[in-house]
């Protein structure tokens, strides 16, 4: 259960990141986002059911559980699997919706949209059929998780066969959805590096396909042996892993805009930090020739924005760089530097000027006050 909860945490983080990306960067919520949200909700419901089943004894040997505990473990396990199967289908629809949105402006690729619709619709139909067969394989249905009550389970083998087909078809769909994006992204007008990156992200569906294959292999353990609570645990782990991987790996490509913004922010901060180290907060010495620490008359540099010791903002003269403002004087303890002076000009208009103010040839007289 620790494995599936770790996968749950990763999925929650990625869907939260998708929410931020769609809400604050793209400022639009498309169908692929809503299907991913539905997938997350269904997956969380299934995960909670699995947790209840494990706490009730799922994964332990049949002989270690007493009546009510056994019934509760099997019941929540089967209910969780039914919801998880539907969540896997929702996750595939989310991926398909994303691919349809990407290729909608490409006329050639729009003709291939039927292939994506076929994958999505076929998975939904097969998953619903599997859910119905699971619930009807025993009569009454409660006998599926309570072997003690009277009834029959004649359709277990047929349900298993459909389970093989459902698992195989789901894995094949994951494989197709991992390869298909190569056709989509390779025709986009973006750099080859970005194309390769997007294709690799979508190729993560191969991992989900592998998990689906392993899950399908473990289906046979349900009908073999007399230790269902222990045998079914491996099937449950791989079924839930496939479910979470579809959502996790399908959420990475839509986060490209967020990744770009993060990388740009990191680059900007690094550039600002480098600039600050170069120009701010340091007392550096430069030679007149421009080399740091060179021979000759050195100029002590002081950080911008800090007062030079002994200077006031109201002074008409202020030493900007060295506190002494010696300008190369031999006895200056601070060395040569730059002296800031403030020059005040006042416009004075004489009597004759007032009388001839309309004469453009005179203008205003500016006399510096010394």
């Amino acid at each position: 259960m620790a494995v599936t909860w770790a996968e749950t945490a990763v999925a929650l983080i990625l869907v939260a990141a998708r929410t931020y990306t769609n809400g604050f960067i793209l400022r639009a919520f498309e169908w692929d986002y809503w299907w991913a949200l539905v997938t997350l909700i269904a997956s969380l419901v299934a995960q909670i059911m699995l947790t209840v089943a494990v706490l009730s004894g799922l994964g332990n040997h049949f002989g270690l559980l007493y009546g009510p505990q056994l019934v509760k473990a099997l019941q929540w396990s089967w209910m969780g699997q039914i919801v998880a199967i539907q969540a896997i289908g929702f996750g595939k629809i989310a991926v398909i919706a994303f691919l349809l949105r990407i290729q909608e402006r490409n006329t050639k690729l729009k003709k291939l949209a039927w292939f994506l619709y076929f994958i999505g619709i076929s998975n939904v139909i097969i998953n619903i059929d599997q859910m119905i067969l699971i619930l009807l394989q025993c009569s009454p249905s409660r006998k599926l998780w309570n072997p003690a009550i009277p009834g029959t389970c004649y359709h277990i083998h047929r349900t298993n066969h459909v389970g093989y087909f459902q698992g195989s078809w789901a894995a094949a769909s994951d494989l197709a959805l991992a390869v298909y994006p190569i056709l989509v992204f390779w025709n986009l007008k973006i750099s080859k590096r970005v194309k390769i990156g997007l294709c690799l992200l979508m190729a993560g569906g191969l991992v989900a396909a592998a998990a689906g294959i392993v899950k399908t292999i473990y289906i046979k353990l349900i009908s073999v042996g007399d230790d269902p609570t222990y045998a079914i645990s491996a099937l449950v782990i791989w079924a839930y892993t496939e479910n979470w991987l579809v959502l996790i790996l399908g959420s990475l490509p839509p986060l490209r805009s967020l990744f770009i913004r993060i990388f740009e922010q990191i680059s900007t901060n690094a550039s600002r930090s480098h600039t600050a180290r170069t120009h701010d907060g340091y007392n550096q010495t430069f030679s007149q020739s421009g080399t740091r620490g060179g021979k000759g008359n050195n100029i002590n540099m002081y950080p911008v924005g800090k007062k030079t010791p002994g200077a006031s903002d109201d002074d008409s003269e202020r030493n900007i760089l060295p506190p002494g403002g010696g300008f190369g004087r031999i006895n200056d303890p601070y060395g040569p530097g730059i002296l800031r002076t403030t020059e005040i000009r006042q416009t004075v208009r004489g009597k004759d000027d007032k009388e001839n103010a309309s004469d453009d040839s005179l203008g205003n007289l500016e006399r510096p006050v010394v």
Side-chain angles (χ1 to χ4, degrees):
M1 188 173 66
V3 174
T4 56
W5 272 112
E7 295 165 346
T8 303
V10 175
L12 284 170
I13 293 172
L14 291 178
V15 174
R18 287 185 73 167
T19 303
Y20 175 83
T21 302
N22 287 88
F24 296 95
I25 298 178
L26 302 177
R27 299 186 181 278
F29 291 90
E30 303 291 346
W31 280 107
D32 58 301
Y33 168 80
W34 294 116
W35 278 112
L37 191 61
V38 171
T39 304
L40 176 65
I41 295 173
S43 300
L44 285 175
V45 172
Q47 182 67 31
I48 293 173
M49 291 180 174
L50 172 62
T51 303
V52 175
V54 171
L55 294 177
S56 300
L58 184 70
N60 294 313
H61 289 284
F62 183 81
L64 299 177
L65 305 177
Y66 64 94
Q69 190 180 26
L70 172 65
V71 172
K72 187 176 180 181
L74 290 176
Q75 180 181 10
W76 286 107
S77 172
W78 281 110
M79 294 299 101
Q81 287 186 68
I82 291 174
V83 177
I85 290 173
Q86 304 309 313
I88 292 174
F90 297 151
K92 288 179 173 57
I93 294 176
V95 175
I96 291 171
F98 174 73
L99 293 174
L100 288 173
R101 179 164 63 88
I102 294 298
Q103 71 178 36
E104 64 181 358
R105 296 183 180 179
N106 191 308
T107 306
K108 295 181 180 179
L109 291 175
K110 286 183 68 174
K111 297 178 181 179
L112 297 176
W114 65 268
F115 177 71
L116 296 177
Y117 283 114
F118 171 72
I119 291 179
I121 294 173
S122 62
N123 272 274
V124 170
I125 293 175
I126 294 173
N127 291 346
I128 293 176
D129 182 57
Q130 176 73 356
M131 176 185 67
I132 294 174
L133 287 176
I134 288 175
L135 292 175
L136 297 181
Q137 62 182 316
C138 291
S139 179
S141 298
R142 292 185 296 111
K143 187 172 177 58
L144 181 63
W145 53 80
N146 189 358
I149 65 175
T152 59
C153 294
Y154 292 128
H155 304 298
I156 290 180
H157 293 289
R158 185 175 66 178
T159 303
N160 288 344
H161 291 320
V162 175
Y164 291 138
F165 178 75
Q166 184 273 336
S168 302
W169 187 255
S173 299
D174 289 329
L175 178 62
L177 293 176
V179 176
Y180 181 85
I182 297 177
L183 299 175
V184 177
F185 296 135
W186 217 255
N187 288 277
L188 295 177
K189 294 181 179 180
I190 55 179
S191 67
K192 183 174 293 187
R193 183 179 62 181
V194 175
K195 291 179 182 179
I196 294 175
L198 289 173
C199 289
L200 290 176
L201 286 176
M202 294 301 297
L206 296 174
V207 181
I213 293 174
V214 176
K215 177 203 71 174
T216 304
I217 294 174
Y218 276 102
I219 290 178
K220 67 179 181 180
L221 297 178
I222 299 177
S223 56
V224 178
D226 54 356
D227 197 354
T229 55
Y230 180 78
I232 201 175
S233 58
L235 170 64
V236 169
I237 291 175
W238 283 105
Y240 280 73
T241 296
E242 179 192 11
N243 175 30
W244 286 119
L245 285 178
V246 170
L247 178 59
I248 290 171
L249 298 172
S251 294
L252 291 176
L255 293 177
R256 178 176 175 270
S257 299
L258 178 61
F259 294 151
I260 291 176
R261 174 164 292 192
I262 292 174
F263 292 148
E264 289 178 348
Q265 188 64 41
I266 293 175
S267 178
T268 301
N269 291 340
S271 177
R272 289 177 179 175
S273 176
H274 175 73
T275 303
R277 288 196 302 269
T278 305
H279 301 292
D280 248 345
Y282 293 93
N283 192 354
Q284 300 174 345
T285 302
F286 289 83
S287 66
Q288 288 182 344
S289 60
T291 60
R292 184 178 300 182
K295 296 181 180 180
N297 290 330
N298 293 329
I299 301 177
N300 294 320
M301 305 294 290
Y302 287 85
V304 177
K306 294 184 178 180
K307 289 185 179 181
T308 307
S312 171
D313 286 339
D314 296 331
D315 293 342
S316 61
E317 294 185 355
R318 177 179 174 184
N319 297 323
I320 297 178
L321 296 182
F327 288 93
R329 289 194 295 269
I330 297 176
N331 296 326
D332 183 2
Y334 298 100
I338 299 175
L339 180 66
R340 187 189 79 177
T341 62
T342 304
E343 183 180 71
I344 302 175
R345 288 180 177 271
Q346 180 177 352
T347 302
V348 180
R349 180 174 295 174
K351 179 178 180 180
D352 294 338
D353 297 326
K354 293 181 180 180
E355 294 176 352
N356 300 293
S358 61
D359 190 347
D360 294 334
S361 63
L362 295 178
N364 295 329
L365 301 177
E366 292 187 354
R367 299 176 182 175
V369 177
V370 182

